[in-house]
Amino acid sequence: MQSHDRPLLVDTTLREGEQFATAHFSSSQRLAIAEALDAFGVEYIELTSPAASPQSARDLEVIARRGLRARIATHVRCHLDDARLAIEHGAQGVHLLYATSEPLRQASHGRSLDQIVEEASVVIAYLRQFPVEIRFSAEDTFRTDLPSLLRVYQAVAELGVHRVGLADTVGIATPRQVYTTVAQVRAAVNCDIEFHGHNDAGCAVANAFCAFEGGATHLDVTVLGIGERNGIASLAGMVARMASLDPQMVAHYEVAMLPELDRMVAEMVGVTVPFDAPISSPFAFHHKAGLHTKAVINDPRSYEVLDPARFGRARTVAVAHRLVGWHAVAERARELGIYLSEPAARQAATRIKTIGDDHELNSTTVDEILYEYAE
């Protein structure tokens, strides 16, 4: 079982991310993403099942034999044929899944819990012949009643899997529920625990971190949080969450790569980096309101829990708007190489506010006003 000092990140952009509505990665793009994630330092890279398509199988083999530091895994049905394909194409980790909730057992496969365990035992016994990590995930964990869930996890743990996976497949779980459930699974098994949480109700990052607090050792993420429907916990979101609490939790990652990683994948799937994306959003370190800008100019820590420079970003302070404060005006003047006394900066700020009340401002107009008040 892994140490609980920090979670290990399982990046599944090349599996879960492929299920995003506009994602259709070429082989060269898959390789570029894998190499970038490896350079960033994620511990695991999960790829689409080789049973999904011939190209998926070929790409798994190419990336698995690339000599990357990250362990290359694939996510497959708990079926002997899929497991064989994973081994044949060089997977270093085989991530099995089986739906355990009543809704999915009825709609998807029709198996009983006893049948699930029986079929899992055959596949796990086969995989244990090879030097691969085995994870068994109960799909739709949080709509599975707890006694059934623990029964399945204890059974597969005794069969020798390295990890059990808890999947909030439909994004229904709450942070408190995730913490409680993971803690109960932690008390029931001795193997590692992985969490995979969807963002349908907006709790993906919070749920993932609560899973870690409850005893999970591995957390699933994707670049930008892309995935089925509106995705899962984002890589940048998890890094931001950890870094804000203890920078040492992310010290081993090349965190300055995050903005470029997000931009690269955003371009590949034809979207823009979301305005609310932690770290990589164009506005992540942008300050506007007068009270905020005064404080952040005096001490950036006043309104920044993360240092933008650590992530290859720069802080920006907006002045071309009606909410501007005179401190921001004076700071902009200093950037221009001119001096404004406090009375002059206040007068300039008042003028900018008045104009901003009537129509949108631009930086050129503001700079011209500042030059007028320069001493």
Side-chain angles (χ1 to χ4, degrees):
M1 188 168 67
Q2 296 285 348
S3 165
H4 282 233
D5 292 341
R6 63 177 180 84
L8 303 184
L9 296 183
V10 180
D11 189 282
T12 181
T13 304
L14 297 178
R15 195 281 297 177
E16 177 68 54
E18 289 257 35
Q19 296 170 210
F20 182 60
T22 59
H24 183 71
F25 300 130
S26 66
S27 295
S28 60
Q29 287 175 331
R30 287 192 187 106
L31 181 57
I33 291 170
E35 290 183 334
L37 289 169
D38 190 60
F40 172 82
V42 297
E43 289 82 7
Y44 294 80
I45 297 173
E46 183 183 72
L47 278 75
T48 296
S49 169
S53 73
Q55 192 60 55
S56 296
R58 289 191 291 268
D59 289 345
L60 169 61
E61 186 161 9
V62 167
I63 293 172
R65 304 194 191 289
R66 193 72 173 179
L68 303 180
R69 293 174 300 169
R71 184 172 290 273
I72 306 303
T74 186
H75 182 84
V76 302
R77 297 169 299 179
C78 190
H79 192 285
L80 201 53
D81 290 343
D82 288 21
R84 287 196 182 101
L85 281 174
I87 296 299
E88 290 169 5
H89 290 86
Q92 298 151 6
V94 181
H95 295 172
L96 307 172
L97 78 150
Y98 223 129
T100 55
S101 70
E102 188 66 26
L104 282 189
R105 282 197 286 133
Q106 290 184 6
S108 180
H109 55 70
R111 307 299 201 278
S112 68
L113 293 178
D114 287 338
Q115 288 173 311
I116 290 172
V117 172
E118 183 179 351
E119 292 183 29
S121 67
V122 175
V123 179
I124 292 167
Y126 166 75
L127 289 172
R128 290 194 65 192
Q129 302 175 77
F130 305 94
V132 296
E133 286 190 23
I134 308 166
R135 183 212 72 197
F136 180 92
S137 183
E139 189 183 13
D140 207 12
T141 300
F142 295 90
R143 291 193 297 179
T144 304
D145 66 278
L146 188 61
S148 296
L149 197 64
L150 295 179
R151 175 183 165 194
V152 171
Y153 283 146
Q154 288 175 319
V156 296
E158 290 174 3
L159 291 169
V161 300
H162 297 85
R163 293 194 303 286
V164 293
L166 283 73
D168 185 16
T169 305
V170 297
I172 197 172
T174 66
R176 184 177 296 177
Q177 179 187 9
V178 169
Y179 177 90
T180 301
T181 303
V182 172
Q184 289 173 307
V185 175
R186 174 73 290 153
V189 301
N190 291 320
C191 60
D192 287 340
I193 297 173
E194 184 173 332
F195 176 79
H196 178 99
H198 279 260
N199 201 42
D200 299 73
C203 291
V205 171
N207 282 346
F209 196 79
C210 281
F212 168 66
E213 292 182 315
T217 53
H218 297 62
L219 302 177
D220 288 12
V221 295
T222 61
V223 177
L224 286 179
I226 61 172
E228 190 78 24
R229 302 182 308 281
N230 59 340
I232 67 167
S234 71
L235 173 60
M238 283 310 308
V239 168
R241 176 69 285 171
M242 292 188 286
S244 68
L245 298 173
D246 181 2
Q248 286 305 306
M249 293 181 76
V250 298
H252 54 291
Y253 296 126
E254 296 294 332
V255 294
M257 290 183 63
L258 279 171
E260 182 52 37
L261 254 174
D262 276 4
R263 284 193 294 269
M264 177 179 74
V265 173
E267 183 177 342
M268 288 179 180
V269 300
V271 301
T272 58
V273 175
F275 79 90
D276 60 347
I279 297 170
S280 59
S281 162
F283 313 112
F285 301 101
H286 185 74
H287 303 274
K288 184 175 180 180
L291 287 174
H292 287 232
T293 55
K294 174 187 176 182
V296 85
I297 288 169
N298 290 333
D299 182 356
R301 294 172 300 177
S302 61
Y303 281 103
E304 287 178 350
V305 71
L306 301 172
D307 179 3
R310 188 176 182 198
F311 301 95
R313 301 297 310 279
R315 171 182 314 108
T316 55
V317 175
V319 294
H321 58 90
R322 65 184 180 182
L323 304 180
V324 70
W326 73 266
H327 292 86
V329 167
E331 179 66 17
R332 176 56 184 162
R334 281 190 288 272
E335 292 174 359
L336 294 171
I338 59 179
Y339 172 73
L340 266 66
S341 65
E342 180 179 334
R346 287 182 179 277
Q347 291 173 15
T350 298
R351 185 171 168 190
I352 293 167
K353 288 172 179 288
T354 300
I355 297 172
D357 273 339
D358 290 334
H359 57 79
E360 189 173 342
L361 284 159
N362 59 53
S363 58
T364 301
T365 300
V366 168
D367 288 350
E368 290 173 351
I369 292 171
L370 299 190
Y371 277 112
E372 291 180 24
Y373 286 88
E375 299 180 5

